[in-house]
Amino acid sequence: MSLRESLRFALLGVSANKTRSALTTLGILIGVASVIILLAVGTGSSRAVEESINRLGSNTLTVLPSSTDDSGGSGAGGLADIASLFGGGQTTTVSGTLTRAPELTMDDAAALVDNPQAPDVLGVAPVVSAQSVQATLDGASHTVGTFTGTTPTYLLINNDTISAGRAFTDADYAVHRRVVLLGTTVAEQLTSQAVSDLVGQTIALNGKQFEVVGILGEKGSTGPQDADDRVVAPATAVQDTLTGYGSLSSISVKASSADTVSSAQSQVQQVLDSRRGVTASDRDYSVFNASSILSAATDSSATFTVLLGVVAAISLLVGGIGVMNIMLVTVTERTREIGVRKAIGASRRDIVTQFLLEAVILCMFGGLVGVIVGLAGSQFTIVGVVPVVQAYSVVMAFGVAVATGVFFGLYPANRAAALRPIDALRYE
Amino acid sequence: MSATTQPVLDLRGITKVYGEGETAVHALAGVDLQVARGDYVAVMGASGSGKSTLMNIVGCLDEPTAGRYLLDGVDVRRRSETALARIRNRKIGFVFQNFNLVARTSALRNVELPLAYRGIGASQRYAQANHALDRVGLGARVSHDPSELSGGQQQRVAIARAIVTDPVLLLADEPTGALDTHSTADVLKLFDELSLSGRTLVVITHEDEVAAHAKRVIRMSDGLIVSDERVTAVDAAPPMTDVAEVA
């Protein structure tokens, strides 16, 4: 018998019990849709992580002080560095017995600028941080998440843009001018009008007057950390008013290109080691490479994506078992029909084809609707992640759905075909 | 032996044993039966007489334990399942007690079914199925589902399905068992007509009314043929035919 005939019989079989077919299809539908949506969420979140780290500047190195304490060693220092990076540049105090006060100074930062020993260093910016800075304007007040005092080079290293007003300049830095750049979150907290209206106004930071000269471009948020809840000001003015003339929180360094990040890192270490009289074994600072966290974060988000995919695949598997279950019921119900078909000349292959096609049609239909639901569902932001639909996941989910139909349809179809016509005809 | 004189059915020493050893049941205990082309045979017997087993073996739905069976000159023993399916499709038309039409499938589609399994194209199938339905007097009801037809009509669809392939043997198992008197008369009249047109019929029944239409009546008991009575000649009209009416 031709495939077209088998297909017609299979379609008749599927449409004979529409409610049951629809419910069976639902299992596959949910499986396929969840594969597509969950993989899209996984991909979307890893894109978001990559983007936010790229915004940090993938060519960036961060020099952080680390205490050479007896208990933790450099490993603990490294952890503290990462913690402080995610804490938005706030310094973390590592407990333990300090043998030396690890301080980064303005001179350390200056030593790295245009140093012939560090040819791969493009830019250097010292960073001083102030904690719990209260910004107020006309009664509106906001505690700034990250308060950074630095040089204009910082904006270049950090890939920062200015959405309104201007950046502060080397001249502002040199004359300790009290000017600030506001992140959009801070700006929105201080005014109910357009944030650009703040440019030129004077705000109070912990009671000290600063003039707003510009608004920083939006960076978006990653996880709980709002990258726009920040204020950037010249380090000189910040030290005058808020932090005093102590040590630096960190030094930001930009390598000349993505390929020279590691050589820039070793050059920075060389320069600082000789300045501070330390070696690799008793180094009291650490140089942190943004691209290394990029790869770590990418790895972890890939794991996350795989886990989501596995969960979705399990639901597809459950859907497939549902199809097998219903096909077995169908075969039992239609035992007589199978007997009649065999009596009037249907071969084993005809029966297998018919029931296999029924299972495949159920799965294909479920897969098709699942793809539509999956694509529609991926248009929404899910737990703060904008899903990115991967073409391969759509093709794969649909393909797996059809394969599920074949796999789970095979057993019921063979059982149908193996029925002996006299037994099948006698079946009540 | 030429094709015309060769019997449609030639069973020799057919036995069928279910089970083994002491519990073995001899459903058929050595049956010899020849049915010539154009004959109309009624096989009668009480339940358990072996007539259903005989029908299954004659219909190639079951294999005999021993003996030789030629259907239209072809030995059907030890054939593959696929080969048996093909033999059933080409040589035999089945009519069952409970019609056994495929549900939710129109009369026309039901009648087309054996042709579809034979691999015949749609247009030829359509023409042949329509012709067969005309032949049983259901030309106007081709698009009805079995559930929309009366028992008699369903059985006539089943007969159309049985004759659409032009089989050498029409094998009916209690064809009137589920029908009222009126429908029974319709079906029996149809059988008479088919016999008149030269078809070979074997009808399994326990109703004397059905057997009265046959040219030859075989009675079975305990797996053996106990009587074989010839009513009219193979090439004569069936006994109950009102020749004038049919003509």
Side-chain angles (χ1 to χ4, degrees):
Chain A
M1 189 168 60
S2 72
L3 198 65
R4 230 184 83 202
E5 286 300 312
S6 300
L7 195 64
R8 201 167 57 80
F9 290 146
L11 277 169
L12 267 171
V14 169
S15 58
N17 203 330
K18 292 191 179 64
T19 316
R20 183 199 287 172
S21 297
L23 287 172
T24 312
T25 298
L26 201 59
I28 297 295
L29 188 161
I30 292 169
V32 169
S34 59
V35 165
I36 291 172
I37 293 176
L38 291 184
L39 285 182
V41 167
T43 312
S45 78
S46 65
R47 289 271 169 90
V49 168
E50 269 174 53
E51 272 168 28
S52 63
I53 290 170
N54 275 330
R55 270 198 306 263
L56 279 179
S58 53
N59 302 350
T60 329
L61 299 169
T62 307
V63 183
L64 290 154
S66 65
S67 39
T68 51
D69 58 346
D70 297 335
S71 55
S74 59
L79 284 176
D81 297 342
I82 293 167
S84 71
L85 186 95
F86 280 120
Q90 296 168 2
T91 49
T92 309
T93 312
V94 178
S95 60
T97 318
L98 297 177
T99 53
R100 200 185 315 161
E103 289 193 345
L104 291 171
T105 63
M106 284 292 183
D107 292 339
D108 286 331
L112 294 168
V113 179
D114 295 331
N115 190 324
Q117 278 186 284
D120 291 324
V121 171
L122 186 69
V124 178
V127 172
V128 294
S129 298
Q131 308 300 313
S132 326
V133 174
Q134 189 86 10
T136 47
L137 173 69
D138 299 337
S141 109
H142 173 69
T143 305
V144 177
T146 308
F147 190 96
T148 307
T150 185
T151 61
T153 315
Y154 177 84
L155 301 174
L156 167 78
I157 294 170
N158 208 22
N159 292 343
D160 275 320
T161 56
I162 304 294
S163 65
R166 62 169 179 89
F168 63 85
T169 61
D170 288 324
D172 292 330
Y173 181 84
V175 302
H176 298 219
R177 189 169 290 151
R178 295 182 185 182
V179 293
V180 286
L181 302 172
L182 302 183
T184 49
T185 303
V186 178
E188 280 159 10
Q189 293 291 326
L190 293 179
T191 181
S192 51
Q193 269 119 51
V195 291
S196 55
D197 290 353
L198 283 171
V199 176
Q201 296 202 46
T202 300
I203 64 167
L205 294 167
N206 280 4
K208 308 290 196 308
Q209 303 292 309
F210 279 80
E211 186 197 348
V212 178
V213 293
I215 306 296
L216 291 159
E218 213 162 320
K219 285 222 147 188
S221 54
T222 315
Q225 184 73 32
D226 181 355
D228 294 314
D229 185 5
R230 60 188 186 132
V231 169
V232 181
T236 48
V238 172
Q239 287 181 321
D240 287 347
T241 53
L242 295 163
T243 61
Y245 305 94
S247 58
L248 302 178
S249 311
S250 64
I251 302 172
S252 286
V253 177
K254 192 179 183 76
S256 52
S257 78
D259 298 332
T260 57
V261 175
S262 353
S263 57
Q265 182 170 5
S266 51
Q267 287 158 12
V268 166
Q269 284 170 334
Q270 230 171 359
V271 171
L272 292 180
D273 281 354
S274 67
R275 269 185 59 78
R276 302 166 73 87
V278 294
T279 60
S281 56
D282 63 346
R283 199 169 276 158
D284 59 356
Y285 65 94
S286 49
V287 181
F288 184 78
N289 183 344
S291 66
S292 67
I293 199 168
L294 177 67
S295 66
T298 309
D299 284 354
S300 74
S301 66
T303 310
F304 177 61
T305 306
V306 167
L307 281 176
L308 287 179
V310 167
V311 169
I314 288 171
S315 78
L316 194 53
L317 181 77
V318 172
I321 293 168
V323 169
M324 176 150 83
N325 193 10
I326 286 301
M327 286 311 297
L328 284 173
V329 171
T330 301
V331 167
T332 308
E333 264 189 4
R334 287 159 63 188
T335 300
R336 277 191 82 89
E337 179 197 321
I338 294 162
V340 174
R341 286 178 183 277
K342 292 192 103 173
I344 64 175
S347 69
R348 218 187 147 92
R349 219 190 62 198
D350 290 332
I351 302 290
V352 169
T353 310
Q354 178 184 342
F355 283 90
L356 198 55
L357 277 175
E358 272 190 37
V360 171
I361 286 170
L362 284 175
C363 288
M364 264 173 81
F365 184 71
L368 216 59
V369 181
V371 166
I372 293 167
V373 170
L375 290 179
S378 302
Q379 304 306 309
F380 301 100
T381 302
I382 297 160
V383 288
V385 177
V386 179
V388 178
V389 176
Q390 300 276 74
Y392 85 85
S393 75
V394 174
V395 174
M396 186 192 74
F398 184 73
V400 168
V402 174
T404 301
V406 174
F407 182 78
F408 288 106
L410 217 49
Y411 173 64
N414 271 311
R415 230 165 87 153
L419 285 169
R420 295 190 336 138
I422 49 166
D423 297 334
L425 282 169
R426 211 180 287 145
Y427 185 87
E428 291 299 332
Chain B
M1 203 189 279
S2 80
T4 44
T5 56
Q6 166 186 292
V8 171
L9 292 182
D10 188 359
L11 289 82
R12 303 205 182 252
I14 295 288
T15 64
K16 181 70 183 178
V17 182
Y18 295 107
E20 278 176 20
E22 302 216 337
T23 56
V25 175
H26 293 262
L28 291 179
V31 170
D32 294 300
L33 176 66
Q34 284 78 43
V35 175
R37 199 166 297 270
D39 209 349
Y40 181 177
V41 181
V43 178
M44 298 197 68
S47 97
S49 62
K51 62 183 196 303
S52 288
T53 308
L54 183 65
M55 138 106 189
N56 287 337
I57 288 169
V58 167
C60 300
L61 295 169
D62 204 355
E63 294 231 342
T65 308
R68 198 182 65 133
Y69 171 28
L70 299 183
L71 171 62
D72 199 24
V74 178
D75 195 340
V76 297
R77 283 176 307 170
R78 282 183 286 282
R79 295 291 183 125
S80 73
E81 231 193 279
T82 310
L84 282 176
R86 195 176 302 127
I87 288 168
R88 287 196 294 269
N89 183 265
R90 282 163 198 259
K91 305 252 183 214
I92 302 169
F94 287 95
V95 177
F96 301 98
Q97 176 172 0
N98 34 25
F99 329 132
N100 278 340
L101 297 177
V102 177
R104 289 176 293 269
T105 304
S106 72
L108 185 69
R109 293 290 195 195
N110 261 291
V111 176
E112 278 186 356
L113 210 50
L115 299 174
Y117 284 124
R118 195 185 277 196
I120 288 171
S123 59
Q124 197 190 336
R125 264 194 340 242
Y126 182 80
Q128 277 182 249
N130 263 317
H131 183 256
L133 281 164
D134 271 342
R135 183 76 189 78
V136 300
L138 282 176
R141 300 194 155 259
V142 290
S143 56
H144 286 61
D145 274 9
S147 58
E148 298 165 341
L149 297 171
S150 73
Q153 287 169 335
Q154 287 190 57
Q155 192 61 299
R156 281 193 276 161
V157 172
I159 294 168
R161 185 178 66 188
I163 61 172
V164 75
T165 54
D166 198 16
V168 294
L169 174 68
L170 191 67
L171 188 57
D173 185 12
E174 303 280 6
T176 59
L179 297 179
D180 59 32
T181 321
H182 183 70
S183 300
T184 299
D186 278 356
V187 166
L188 290 176
K189 187 165 161 246
L190 193 51
F191 280 178
D192 285 344
E193 288 170 22
L194 291 171
S195 179
L196 262 181
S197 67
R199 291 202 176 274
T200 312
L201 283 86
V202 171
V203 180
I204 314 275
T205 184
H206 64 270
E207 292 175 53
D208 292 327
E209 185 194 353
V210 177
H213 283 256
K215 299 175 185 175
R216 178 184 174 194
V217 179
I218 289 168
R219 285 173 203 279
M220 289 190 72
S221 180
D222 295 329
L224 287 169
I225 292 174
V226 291
S227 82
D228 187 347
E229 178 193 345
R230 163 83 41 210
V231 182
T232 61
V234 172
D235 50 5
M240 300 287 280
T241 322
D242 184 343
V243 181
E245 189 195 327
V246 172

